Amino acid sequence: MTGGLITGIVALVAAVAVVAPGASAGSVRAVRASAASSPASAHLIVASTTDPATGGYWLTATDGGVFSFGASFEGSAGGLALQAPVVGMASTVDGLGYRQVASDGGIFAYGDASFLGSMGGLPLNQPVVAMAAMPDGNGYWLVAADGGIFAFGDAPFLGSMGGRPLNRPIVGMANTPDGQGYWLVASDGGIFAYGDARFQGSTGNLVLSSPVVGIAPDGQSGGYRLVAADGGVFCFGAPFAGSAVGLLHRAAVSIDEWASGYRVVSTDGSVYAFGGAPFLGSVSVPPLVGQVVTIDPGHDGGNGSDPAFINQTIDGGGFAESCDTSGTSDVNGYPEHAFTFDVTIRLAATLSAGGATVVLTRSNDTGVGPCVNTRAAIGNAARSDAAISIHGDGGPSGGSGFAVDVPVPVVSAISDNRTIVAPSGALGNDVRDYFLADTGLHVSNYAGVNGIVPRADLAGLDLSTVPKVLIECGNMQNPGDTSVMEDAGWRQRAAQGLADGITAFLVQREVP
Ligand code: ZN
């Protein structure tokens, strides 16, 4: 699931990370760079750029990190505290310099690429999404999502979509070889051509299964190619040599060209090379970078000490529910809240190691609350890509096994969970499958069907606006279940099963 997988598209060449210390920075915002290029990034890759002198390439990450493959490393913004994420990059014609652009229009220039002005600090109607550079090295353009063009140095302003209505946002830009024209591309594949850039077709009239995310000119044919997030490549006036559909683990983000070939790059730093463009290496970004997961360990250690708080009535989404309970405990006195918190800490560590941003609804096992509606609100406020509540059941002593509660559509005066029902179901299936495989515990023999229980009566699911499930990891009233739930090694496997299920769900959703 990590980056760097190439499946025999072209001859593979050993990764070459060219590292050069120092850099001459010509920007008021650029700082002499010290970051070395590396094959690993803790941030998503956002752009790729061909070295026009060698056919090598650079990848750049949202934090400004630069990764060089068969191209000269001249510095990066990777060590800076950026005001806004880097979104684009363009090189000079000799390959001995390049510029990065951030979404606020800030420019970072390295090597022989000069700083000629930026939009950093100036108000923008829409964020900058891409850049292109003059072949003479003395100018560049920035393009914003609304189609606004900002030209610097000797880069000519030849027209823009700024101020005109767009069906879809602009996502990319490419210039012609002489720098006297450029194309803009929107996420629906619509093409806007200016100057000597010829319109040779678009996907604007097609129904795409996946949005367009980038454009690259073809220097030999004068045409251009578009890439969609699923790795699909659309060629206009330029030869087709293959696509990355079905190969990606994360969404495609960029396309660059060389010798009538091209490379598709995905956010995890994988590089897929076609035609004459060589593969020279890739970047490894952990699979969950950019993903937010909220973990809700059921109950809390202090709940029993504050019945007035815990028994207060909350709106669970059209019905009255108590704030929370103290939870159950097993025959040996092992409390549910301790179990859920222990599994949560293990799960958080595993997800964090995969690059995820993890949010917890409580940070210790000695407090009171929060109420179940607040727990849902925490996951919502974090804009979680997935959320999970962890429990141990207090079921009939003769019943055993684990079960995953999934939401059904519930609309109330304060909530509407309909959009999360389908993805939550998918999340529930993945969690069920991996929990089963990793723990060896069977699915519940007293609740639900095949380990899945649709529930309309849980505030945590009714009030969620993000994909969410609740797992009863086992029945704490059953001697067989508690014998494993009390075992730290089993709880680690339980956390691994939850992490694997959540990861499978998130990665599957990544390639649109
Ligand atoms: Zn519980």
Side-chain angles (χ1 to χ4, degrees):
M1 247 173 287
T2 53
L5 302 179
I6 288 289
T7 54
I9 300 159
V10 295
L12 301 189
V13 181
V16 179
V18 180
V19 180
S24 62
S27 159
V28 293
R29 297 191 53 181
V31 174
R32 194 163 295 274
S34 57
S37 77
S38 154
S41 174
H43 297 266
L44 296 177
I45 299 299
V46 290
S48 61
T49 307
T50 299
D51 179 339
T54 68
Y57 49 93
W58 300 272
L59 308 184
T60 187
T62 54
D63 71 338
V66 171
F67 304 90
S68 305
F69 301 97
S72 174
F73 179 75
E74 300 290 339
S76 83
L80 305 179
L82 300 183
Q83 307 282 325
V86 165
V87 294
M89 186 181 188
S91 81
T92 56
V93 71
D94 64 7
L96 296 177
Y98 44 77
R99 302 177 182 91
Q100 294 170 297
V101 63
S103 65
D104 65 355
I107 290 284
F108 307 92
Y110 299 96
D112 65 5
S114 55
F115 176 77
L116 299 167
S118 81
M119 295 301 288
L122 300 175
L124 293 172
N125 292 326
Q126 293 280 313
V128 168
V129 294
M131 74 179 298
M134 282 291 287
D136 67 8
N138 295 320
Y140 46 86
W141 303 267
L142 313 183
V143 62
D146 62 358
I149 290 282
F150 308 99
F152 298 94
D154 66 0
F157 177 81
L158 300 165
S160 81
M161 291 300 289
R164 298 167 62 186
L166 287 171
N167 291 328
R168 310 296 288 179
I170 298 296
V171 294
M173 176 179 191
N175 60 281
T176 56
D178 66 1
Q180 297 307 305
Y182 47 78
W183 298 273
L184 309 183
V185 63
S187 66
D188 62 358
I191 290 284
F192 307 94
Y194 300 93
D196 66 7
R198 286 178 50 225
F199 176 82
Q200 303 201 46
S202 81
T203 63
N205 57 339
L206 303 178
V207 177
L208 298 181
S209 56
S210 184
V212 167
V213 293
I215 181 172
D218 184 68
Q220 296 191 359
S221 67
Y224 48 85
R225 299 183 182 91
L226 312 180
V227 64
D230 65 358
V233 174
F234 305 93
C235 299
F236 300 96
F240 176 78
S243 90
V245 171
L247 303 177
L248 301 178
H249 302 276
R250 299 289 292 263
V253 71
S254 182
I255 184 169
D256 66 284
E257 69 88 23
W258 175 257
S260 276
Y262 47 91
R263 289 173 286 245
V264 171
V265 174
S266 55
T267 59
D268 64 359
S270 297
V271 175
Y272 306 86
F274 303 93
F279 173 79
L280 299 171
S282 63
V283 176
S284 177
V285 179
L288 298 181
V289 168
Q291 305 280 0
V292 179
V293 180
T294 292
I295 311 172
D296 172 35
H299 315 287
D300 202 344
N303 280 8
S305 68
D306 194 346
F309 181 86
I310 290 304
N311 293 333
Q312 68 181 289
T313 298
I314 56 104
D315 186 341
F319 62 94
E321 187 168 349
S322 64
C323 161
D324 203 346
T325 70
S326 298
T328 188
S329 63
D330 73 14
V331 67
N332 297 318
Y334 183 49
E336 181 187 356
H337 62 79
F339 170 82
T340 66
F341 193 69
D342 181 87
V343 172
T344 292
I345 295 304
R346 295 170 189 275
L347 174 58
T350 304
L351 292 172
S352 295
T357 299
V358 175
V359 175
L360 304 184
T361 59
R362 60 181 171 99
S363 58
N364 60 58
D365 195 37
T366 56
V368 178
C371 297
V372 288
N373 55 341
T374 301
R375 293 170 188 250
I378 290 169
N380 296 345
R383 299 187 171 193
S384 311
D385 297 287
I388 186 166
S389 289
I390 298 174
H391 286 258
D393 202 10
S397 62
S400 65
F402 75 92
V404 181
D405 296 348
V406 299
V408 298
V410 175
V411 178
S412 77
I414 63 164
S415 65
D416 181 350
N417 74 352
R418 287 178 294 182
T419 61
I420 69 150
V421 169
S424 298
L427 172 62
N429 287 339
D430 285 333
V431 166
R432 186 262 325 271
D433 291 347
Y434 284 91
F435 194 86
L436 180 67
D438 288 356
T439 67
L441 185 60
H442 56 270
V443 298
S444 176
N445 59 20
Y446 64 93
V449 175
N450 197 18
I452 299 293
V453 190
R455 295 283 293 265
D457 59 337
L458 293 173
L461 300 181
D462 294 348
L463 301 178
S464 184
T465 58
V466 299
K468 186 175 183 183
V469 298
L470 184 154
I471 183 167
E472 302 280 11
C473 294
N475 179 10
M476 298 191 82
Q477 303 309 311
N478 178 274
D481 284 10
T482 56
S483 69
V484 295
M485 295 171 82
E486 288 184 15
D487 174 48
W490 187 88
R491 291 197 299 272
Q492 183 61 36
R493 293 195 293 280
Q496 188 65 51
L498 298 175
D500 289 345
I502 291 167
T503 299
F505 168 74
L506 293 173
V507 169
Q508 284 161 24
R509 279 165 64 86
E510 261 306 293
V511 180

